[in-house]
Amino acid sequence: MADNSRRIVPIGPFHPLQEEPEFFKLVVEGEKVVDLEIHLGYNHRGHEFISPELTYDQIPFLVERICGICSNSHPLACVLAIEDCAGVKPPPRANYIRSIIHELERIHSHLLWVGLAGHFIGYNTVWMWAWRYREDILAVFEMITGNRNHYAANKPGGVRRDISKEQVPEILAALDLVEKKTMMLTKAVLDDPVIRSRLEGVGILKKSDAIAYSTVGPTARGSGVPWDVRHDDPHCAYDEVRWDVVVAEEGDVFAKARVRLLEIFESVKIVRQCLENLPDGPIQTRIEEIPPGEGCGRTEAPRGEVFHYIRSDGSNRPLRHKVRAPSYMNIASNVVAVRDGSIADAALTLAAVDPCYCCTERMAAFEDGRQKYTWQDLLRLSWQKTEQIREKMRR
Amino acid sequence: MSGQTHQSPRPALDEFCKRFPEVEVYEHNPRRLYLSIPRERLTEACRFLHEERGMRLSICTGLDTREGFEVLYHFSEDSTGTLYNLKVVVPKDDPRLDSQAGWFPACNWIEREMHELLGIEFPGHPNMEPLLTSDTDWDPNKHPLRRDYERRAEAHGR
């Protein structure tokens, strides 16, 4: 297309690619993306405003609803902040159970992302495989917490539910299955020449930009920055198990996909060790009072560091509760990652940071009163590109 | 210096105290340090922590207290897992704080958010548009996280 005039392609605010409504205005010249504007706030729910009106026991249930996919990360970081403020340490068994649930969550979240990435490049089999294997993990959640999502496992001072001896073999069986299937999926994704050429060199986030934007999680680790709160600031049972931080240097979408897929194996390793060494004893400590002061809690959600800050005035409610989700830092870095790329890759690049899914599809670009692109057009462009690469490789 | 004694050598903290002698350090526990500095030296302190010591900005927290607006810059030293929380108090009659967003893009969104929710001005910010209410008809003079914001006052009398 020899058309070099600038036009705006809106992605969002309600878009099946994004878990929450964000509005990306892509400025394009022909097929090349030259700039990006980000608008937030379409679904702002005011958690930081509501939180000081609730008691410390109620807040974990509130923050659990910030995100449906990583619904253990926020309450975990929140109770860590409360415990930091009160100077209380949870019993060892609670720490192990927290780590188990946290890692199971990472497995299902990464599989969800891999499935979506497959869908966006026209590999619907990858999507269906990944989501099928994710089901086994959700079944484990249902067994140990009673819910497939919103597990409500954490409370200040420990956890609310125990893992029984009878449940351990069932969790281990699910892990074996997921590990075997993920191995197959990883090989299928990483060794497929078409997927490689669709993802390699696309949406590169340089190491210096990853640091300047203070990105976290697989977005940072895919750019060669080895930040992982589980390793750097060990909490729960992370300093008592052996595992590795997965880092890739390239910064492109392929690197991020590789980091996520390989992290699933590390998570399986952590859960197995935690189940093996699960200490006996109580699962919660009673917190008598939260003294005036402040506390910071952070943990590594599937998307990166979740940060919670609590300021207490000695009453049963916080004076201030600051919440920072990983996407807050990662989405901002899209401005540099998406620049100079092709419009066919834009949706994939924006999704590569795993922005936190709205099931409503309302995207359309108009110019001079005529419809230019819809979400289906963007998906079609992306699928066409995959098809062209596939054709080229067949020849 | 108050709080606990040092458990391990902390080159970053020692150098910080040398360079900013007016700092007040509170060590809540070995991995959570709170450093209070005057607001005039904020840019220098942030540049020291990020550029010279390679720390990552986790986030900033702004809160309304009786003494003034407190703004905390949570810097994470990932090599030791320590949080350096820089604390600055901004008087209520002159709520201004130098913007860090010009040299440190990680500060961009959070300064816009604090401007919106607490009404703190950040001179030098490249794009001081509201972050969360940019597409709504929210009154720009209403700051929900201030103590005098009417709903909270009615609910709790705080």
Side-chain angles (χ1 to χ4, degrees), chain B residues 1 4-5 15 20-21 24 38-39 47-48 54 59 71 76 78-79 83 86 91 95 106 113 117 125 137 139 146:
Chain B
M1 236 182 255
Q4 298 171 5
T5 49
E15 210 179 318
F20 302 91
E24 281 174 38
R39 66 170 165 170
R47 276 188 177 265
F48 168 76
I59 198 64
V71 182
S76 170
D78 289 282
S79 53
L83 268 176
L86 269 188
E113 190 185 307
L117 299 182
H125 193 286
D137 52 359
D139 179 355
R146 281 198 181 183

Side-chain angles (χ1 to χ4, degrees), chain A residues 294 298 311 320 324 328, chain B residues 28 58 62 70 76 87 113:
Chain A
E294 45 204 322
R298 50 186 189 157
R311 168 71 66 91
R320 176 86 169 91
R324 199 225 61 205
Y328 195 86
Chain B
H28 180 64
S58 268
E70 255 183 44
S76 170
K87 198 180 270 191
E113 190 185 307

